């Protein structure tokens, strides 16, 4: 059954901001299948819920109570406002650009942040060391955000390998950062199957990469994917679980499940997802 987005939008448009308590948040987390011992990455908008008693800390406390001592809570702490200079200005104390909840979480005692300039995460729980250490130190993958964010040794890959859960609080899966891991992985998978070294180098030379001069970048390709289309497909496939809390929609899904489905969709109907330059690159890559 499809989620009734219209009723949610109407309540936000015409209703007063709701007062949200920790108990309300815990109930919504239970509704979307967040359980004790889970590993969960949370993308969030505090203001989406309305007035939250206790603010960002209440949301974090609710998450930690539901996950329990054996669960691990992860949040993106991305750098977006000055992305072009991120690699030059990066330090571990640089504020997160993706919402008050993530920045409040980053500053909490015991929370560890991965050391990567653009797509770091912060984590708390038994797996925090494993998830955050050596971000991008090996298994680098070329791409438009740099070769370290979605490397084999990155929190994003580790979350995929664990088939961890993603939770969207008041934001749609359009903002699911793991979709970029899927793009990086797909390109890597394609290139791995190209046995001719010369051909592989020519294909790589056509891909976008971070820091590419503007005059070159416009002629390069990357399989950027529409979050809206992924959300539509994920709904049809029954991969998303939703509930409401205050004025916000909570959405959860398994990262590996959605990523694997997405890559399958991209391969089955590339013309639905990509423009002509990317389609031409894919054609060249698949030619024997």
């Amino acid at each position: 059954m499809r989620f009734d987005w219209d009723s949610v939008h109407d309540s936000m448009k015409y209703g007063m901001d709701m007062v949200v308590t920790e108990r309300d948040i815990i109930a919504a987390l239970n509704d979307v299948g967040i359980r004790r011992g889970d590993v969960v990455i949370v993308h969030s908008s505090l203001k989406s819920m309305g007035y939250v008693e206790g603010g960002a800390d209440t949301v974090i406390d609710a998450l930690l109570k539901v996950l329990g001592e054996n669960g691990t809570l992860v949040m993106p702490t991305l750098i977006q406002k000055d992305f072009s200079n991120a690699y030059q200005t990066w330090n571990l104390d640089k504020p997160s650009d993706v919402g008050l909840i993530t920045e409040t979480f980053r500053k909490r005692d015991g929370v560890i942040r991965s050391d990567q300039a653009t797509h770091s995460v912060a984590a708390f729980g038994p797996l925090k060391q494993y998830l955050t250490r050596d971000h991008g130190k090996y298994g680098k993958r070329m791409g438009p955000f740099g070769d370290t964010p979605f490397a084999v040794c990155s929190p994003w890959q580790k979350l995929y390998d664990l088939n961890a859960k993603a939770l969207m609080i008041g934001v749609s899966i359009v903002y699911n950062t793991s979709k970029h891991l899927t793009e990086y992985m797909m390109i890597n998978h394609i290139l791995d199957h190209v046995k001719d070294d010369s051909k592989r180098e020519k294909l790589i030379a056509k891909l976008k990469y971070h820091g590419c001069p503007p005059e070159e970048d416009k002629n390069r390709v990357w399989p950027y994917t529409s979050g809206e289309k992924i959300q539509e497909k994920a709904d049809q496939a029954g991969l998303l679980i939703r509930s409401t809390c205050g004025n916000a929609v909570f959405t959860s899904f398994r990262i590996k499940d959605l990523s694997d489905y997405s890559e399958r969709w991209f391969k089955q109907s590339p013309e639905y997802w990509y423009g002509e330059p990317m389609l031409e690159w894919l054609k060249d890559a698949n030619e024997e």
Side-chain angles (χ1 to χ4, degrees), residues 158-186:
K158 293 169 186 176
L159 289 165
Y160 170 91
D161 292 340
L162 291 166
N163 201 10
K165 294 176 181 178
L167 173 66
M168 319 300 286
I169 294 180
V171 295
S172 74
I173 71 167
V174 170
Y175 297 96
N176 169 36
T177 304
S178 291
K179 74 176 182 179
H180 297 308
L181 172 70
T182 307
E183 296 164 1
Y184 272 68
M185 289 175 64
M186 186 179 78

Side-chain angles (χ1 to χ4, degrees), residues 21-73:
T21 66
E22 183 182 275
R23 182 180 296 180
D24 296 327
I25 297 168
I26 289 173
L29 294 173
N30 289 329
D31 286 345
V32 294
I34 306 302
R35 300 289 182 259
R36 295 183 69 82
D38 280 345
V39 179
V40 182
I41 184 165
V42 179
H43 300 260
S44 57
S45 167
L46 180 63
K47 66 181 180 182
S48 69
M49 286 182 275
Y51 175 73
V52 179
E53 289 185 353
D57 281 308
T58 295
V59 180
I60 297 166
D61 289 341
L63 284 159
L64 292 174
K65 285 183 180 179
V66 171
L67 293 175
E69 62 182 13
N70 294 321
T72 299
L73 178 59

Side-chain angles (χ1 to χ4, degrees), residues 250-263:
F250 281 31
T251 307
S252 74
F253 56 90
R254 291 277 187 178
I255 291 172
K256 185 177 187 298
D257 292 347
L258 181 57
S259 180
D260 289 353
Y261 267 87
S262 297
E263 188 167 351

Side-chain angles (χ1 to χ4, degrees), residues 77-79 82 85-97 103 106 113-121:
T77 50
L78 314 186
I79 303 304
D82 189 28
N85 296 313
Y87 285 96
Q88 288 72 48
T89 61
W90 167 250
N91 64 78
L92 277 171
D93 289 327
K94 196 169 185 179
S96 168
D97 288 337
E103 178 64 1
R106 179 186 75 82
R113 188 184 197 181
S114 66
D115 189 3
Q116 199 283 326
T118 60
H119 289 76
S120 66
V121 306

